[in-house]
Amino acid sequence: MRSERNKDGSFTVWMTRDEYHELPRAADTFQREIAIRLMGDCGLRVAEVLDVKPEHISRKSDGTHYDLEVVSGKDTTGEYKGGKHRETWLPRELEALVNRYCQQHDVADDQVLIDRGKRTVQYWVEQAAEGAVEETGDEDYRRVSTHDLRRCWANHLLVEENVSPRIVMALGGWSSYDAIEPYLAAPTEKNIISSLSSVSF
């Protein structure tokens, strides 16, 4: 894990996927795990997490994968009242977790999954981070914010999985390449070895 101090004194934290996975693992309820994973596995902003309802989940045309409609996405252009709609990728494992949670807690299709405030979700991440510190001994988890989860998601797709920036922009709700450029950290050693081991010099 790598953290950088920003000019305002806050920190930007760069996590590998294995490091990120410690956070949902440390969540002590299904609801908290879902909230964390909506940011870290789907790229949602913390405010967007609060609007997710079961009715926003749909199966893709291949019959196997899932979409999540983001109904109140942040709009930096000023063109959309009430936020900009988009669809993002919902991992099958997370869809199954959401479905199980809804069945166990009688959550209707038109009810929000996370019936809490923004600060509460931020606190859940802080609590999960404390659990990750206890599990791993890595004190940098104490610096992890909700936005670091979205950053980890974008960085993983762009740098580790080489997903097209245009696809990541569409999934994450960014309107320009300049907006996602900060999510392009330097490739990891593992990524460099994987990319160049078969190259002939």
Side-chain angles (χ1 to χ4, degrees):
M1 190 179 306
R2 183 167 56 87
S3 59
E4 302 168 351
R5 184 183 289 274
N6 301 314
K7 291 179 182 178
D8 63 0
S10 64
F11 285 89
T12 294
V13 179
W14 298 95
M15 293 178 283
T16 66
R17 289 311 282 177
D18 286 342
E19 289 166 339
Y20 155 70
H21 286 143
E22 292 292 338
L23 295 167
R25 195 175 294 133
D28 55 8
T29 68
F30 278 161
Q31 190 180 47
R32 295 181 184 204
E33 180 181 350
I34 289 167
I36 290 170
R37 292 190 61 185
L38 285 171
M39 292 177 280
D41 291 356
C42 302
L44 269 60
R45 300 171 178 92
V46 64
E48 295 168 347
V49 169
L50 306 179
D51 292 324
V52 174
K53 301 174 182 178
E55 65 187 8
H56 297 149
I57 297 171
S58 60
R59 197 183 296 266
K60 283 189 167 291
S61 58
D62 66 359
T64 304
H65 298 97
Y66 294 89
D67 273 327
L68 173 63
E69 182 185 8
V70 181
V71 298
S72 60
K74 183 178 179 182
D75 173 33
T76 56
T77 65
E79 294 178 28
Y80 303 89
K81 291 182 178 178
K84 186 166 56 173
H85 283 54
R86 71 177 190 276
E87 288 185 350
T88 191
W89 183 268
L90 182 73
R92 283 183 289 179
E93 183 188 338
L94 181 51
E95 188 278 335
L97 178 65
V98 169
N99 190 42
R100 190 159 69 246
Y101 172 76
C102 290
Q103 289 179 357
Q104 289 181 359
H105 296 274
D106 294 320
V107 179
D109 274 357
D110 60 352
Q111 284 183 280
V112 293
L113 293 173
I114 313 300
D115 55 347
R116 298 291 188 274
K118 190 173 170 180
R119 182 63 194 107
T120 298
V121 175
Q122 291 168 334
Y123 177 64
W124 289 350
V125 172
E126 291 167 13
Q127 280 193 314
E130 287 293 329
V133 171
E134 291 176 18
E135 185 67 27
T136 67
D138 190 338
E139 294 288 330
D140 275 343
Y141 278 107
R142 298 188 198 280
R143 295 174 172 169
V144 172
S145 70
T146 53
H147 192 73
D148 292 319
L149 304 182
R150 177 171 160 87
R151 178 182 298 108
C152 178
W153 170 82
N155 177 254
H156 173 67
L157 294 181
L158 291 164
V159 177
E160 297 302 311
E161 299 295 340
N162 296 311
V163 174
S164 162
R166 290 194 177 277
I167 291 176
V168 178
M169 285 167 59
L171 297 177
W174 289 286
S175 56
S176 70
Y177 181 80
D178 288 345
I180 66 165
E181 197 276 333
Y183 297 86
L184 284 161
T188 62
E189 182 178 12
K190 179 181 175 184
N191 183 251
I192 292 170
I193 291 170
S194 174
S195 297
L196 296 181
S197 59
S198 61
V199 173
S200 180
F201 290 97

